Amino acid sequence: MTEVDKSAEAKVVAAVQKRLFVGGQWVEATGGGTFEVVDPSTGEALCSVADATPADGRAALDAAVSAQAGWAATAPRQRADVLMGAFELLHERVDDLALLMTLEMGKPLAEARGEIAYAAEFFRHFAAEAVRIDGGYQTAPAGNARFLITRQPVGPCLLITPWNFPMAMGTRKLGPALAAGCTSVIKPAHQTPLSMLALMEILAEAGVPDGVVNCVTAMDAGGVMEPLIRSGLARKLSFTGSTRVGKVLLEQCAEKVLRTSLELGGNAPFIVFEDANLDEAVDGAIAAKMRNMGEACTAANRLFVHESVIGEFGDRLASKMSALTVGRGTRAGVQVGPLIDEAGLSKVQSLVADAVTRGATVLTGGEVAAGNGYFYPPTVLTGVPRDAKMADQEIFGPVAPLTPFRTESEVVAAANDTEYGLVAYVYTNDLRRALRVAESIETGMVGLNQGIVSNTAAPFGGVKQSGLGREGGTVGIDEFLETKYIGIALGSN
Ligand code: NAP
């Protein structure tokens, strides 16, 4: 297998700034602290980046606050042009950015390239939205006054992103924030700070003024971000990550009543009815399960397959899953990279062991091969009982657990039997059943006969404990805008 040249790897890592981006300047952390970024395919350090202190976080927020009025006052067209400039730079540098992402996060190069394109698309999408922020003019019911309705940027924002989509989860927030006229401080996950640091250079080059976007990297996420949330200087928090951390942040936001958007965990049901096209359902299951090695909030976490087709579906899925090539994401042809870290790997191992103990059968995978890196093989389990731990938790790995069902009402009840409500996938050729099930499933998104729902132009988000608010689509910018109404007395002439 061919592999990316080691010197090319070293070059992209060396090219990234490893410091904090505050007020348009690259600065060391106060006290000079750093932490290591690790390549999950080897377990070895790639480099070290600045470890921000609470004072550094405060300096970043102060810079965002100072830049807010100026950025809010820019012409929407100017903000759109800056976003389009960043869109183009992301595409121009896709090779280096994809390699950097693969090195810090592990996903295969082809997926990393796909993520850069997806990430860039948020800038193009919100460039178009920036010049379409609407308002209104209305006659009061009594006829003697008018309502002028206008929309203004929320103000300085705190943006916190996870490691699984190191670039796209950032641009999904920065795109609408910039388009709306908001400044921000962004904090990427400690496992994958390099992609976001590389984006800071691109944004500066595209013409984002000093202080409008600031980036802090830190090991002590809570220690740095909590004082900012409680400071009263930020007006909004937009968080993507686990439900556990999202709940902590929601409580912190209550103190100063911050506007809050939360994109949290998922536990997606993937339902295959007896009339489904099985070829399409198997391919859809692979897309929904294996994107990002299963480390996605949208990953199919519970596959409910009608009892009359579960045998055939399981065999076909296992055969395709076992044919996937596992390895370091920089190698040509690799389709499945390593998991993010030791903790991620042991979680998957213990969830599989638990399911097997409770009676599940392994159709393929299930055994970790010896060697470096946090690799887990594509795995299919069948006969997974509903009380298995993986039925309640995000597996976040390449494991597809199959459970049989008999009736539509039974499977809808099982699908809804979770605290999460992000996305569901439904495979059937019966239109009426498709719509009935799509309407009764308690999720923010449904994939009907398709295994991927993410699209910049569609509203992404969940219900129940999967979150608050939507990103992307025409509503994504609303999360960064306040509506103001100005009442006008006409008087008499
Ligand atoms: P996580 O542990 O919740 O961390 C997410 C981010 O929050 C990281 O930047 C993390 O920083 C930071 N953080 C952790 N504790 C914090 C605290 N007390 N105060 C402030 N920030 C804090 O989640 P993850 O493991 O990175 O990501 C996986 C999770 O994200 C999964 O649950 C997945 O479903 C979810 N996710 C949801 C969506 C969606 O759109 N709904 C998309 C992608 C991922 P450090 O890492 O530096 O500690």
Side-chain angles (χ1 to χ4, degrees), residues 180-303:
C182 296
T183 62
S184 51
V185 176
I186 188 161
K187 195 210 78 66
H190 71 273
Q191 295 97 329
T192 58
L194 302 179
S195 295
M196 201 43 56
L197 291 169
L199 183 67
M200 292 303 112
E201 296 199 70
I202 285 177
L203 290 175
E205 222 173 304
V208 172
D210 293 351
V212 169
V213 176
N214 305 274
C215 179
V216 290
T217 51
M219 270 313 277
D220 181 7
V224 173
M225 297 311 286
E226 183 173 355
L228 306 188
I229 293 170
R230 295 192 188 277
S231 68
L233 295 172
R235 293 293 172 79
K236 176 177 178 72
L237 171 80
S238 178
F239 170 78
T240 298
S242 62
T243 296
R244 181 186 64 78
V245 174
K247 287 179 186 179
V248 171
L249 298 180
L250 190 55
E251 269 192 55
Q252 293 174 6
C253 286
E255 185 184 333
K256 293 288 187 329
V257 193
L258 256 65
R259 284 273 300 265
T260 312
S261 304
L262 301 175
E263 294 287 350
L264 308 178
N267 183 5
F270 186 104
I271 304 172
V272 182
F273 284 98
E274 63 275 27
D275 61 292
N277 176 320
L278 276 201
D279 287 331
E280 288 177 11
V282 168
D283 288 346
I286 289 184
K289 180 74 254 178
M290 296 305 292
R291 180 177 180 220
N292 227 36
M293 292 79 74
E295 295 171 315
C297 53
T298 49
N301 209 60
R302 296 168 295 152
L303 289 84

Side-chain angles (χ1 to χ4, degrees), residues 146-402:
R146 300 292 180 266
F147 304 153
L148 190 60
I149 295 143
T150 188
R151 313 243 280 152
Q152 296 181 316
V154 167
C157 300
L158 302 173
L159 313 177
I160 303 179
T161 55
W163 50 263
N164 59 346
F165 293 96
M167 189 66 91
M169 296 302 95
T171 60
R172 200 162 78 171
K173 299 184 189 308
L174 286 167
L178 285 166
C182 296
T183 62
S184 51
V185 176
I186 188 161
K187 195 210 78 66
H190 71 273
Q191 295 97 329
T192 58
L194 302 179
S195 295
M196 201 43 56
L197 291 169
L199 183 67
M200 292 303 112
E201 296 199 70
I202 285 177
L203 290 175
E205 222 173 304
V208 172
D210 293 351
V212 169
V213 176
N214 305 274
C215 179
V216 290
T217 51
M219 270 313 277
D220 181 7
V224 173
M225 297 311 286
E226 183 173 355
L228 306 188
I229 293 170
R230 295 192 188 277
S231 68
L233 295 172
R235 293 293 172 79
K236 176 177 178 72
L237 171 80
S238 178
F239 170 78
T240 298
S242 62
T243 296
R244 181 186 64 78
V245 174
K247 287 179 186 179
V248 171
L249 298 180
L250 190 55
E251 269 192 55
Q252 293 174 6
C253 286
E255 185 184 333
K256 293 288 187 329
V257 193
L258 256 65
R259 284 273 300 265
T260 312
S261 304
L262 301 175
E263 294 287 350
L264 308 178
N267 183 5
F270 186 104
I271 304 172
V272 182
F273 284 98
E274 63 275 27
D275 61 292
N277 176 320
L278 276 201
D279 287 331
E280 288 177 11
V282 168
D283 288 346
I286 289 184
K289 180 74 254 178
M290 296 305 292
R291 180 177 180 220
N292 227 36
M293 292 79 74
E295 295 171 315
C297 53
T298 49
N301 209 60
R302 296 168 295 152
L303 289 84
F304 298 107
V305 186
H306 191 266
E307 60 180 6
S308 63
V309 293
I310 191 167
E312 191 182 346
F313 179 88
D315 290 345
R316 288 204 215 173
L317 183 65
S319 146
K320 286 205 168 183
M321 291 270 279
S322 59
L324 296 172
T325 308
V326 181
R328 190 160 192 251
T330 51
R331 281 195 207 134
V334 161
Q335 293 158 297
V336 185
L339 298 181
I340 189 69
D341 54 22
E342 181 67 48
L345 178 61
S346 10
K347 179 182 178 192
V348 175
Q349 284 177 297
S350 79
L351 288 176
V352 170
D354 168 77
V356 170
T357 308
R358 291 172 198 263
T361 305
V362 180
L363 293 182
T364 185
E367 291 289 330
V368 174
N372 291 336
Y374 310 115
F375 293 95
Y376 195 87
T379 296
V380 180
L381 306 177
T382 195
V384 177
R386 302 231 175 120
D387 65 352
K389 287 185 185 159
M390 62 173 60
D392 279 330
Q393 292 179 34
E394 291 185 292
I395 302 170
F396 249 56
V399 177
L402 311 188

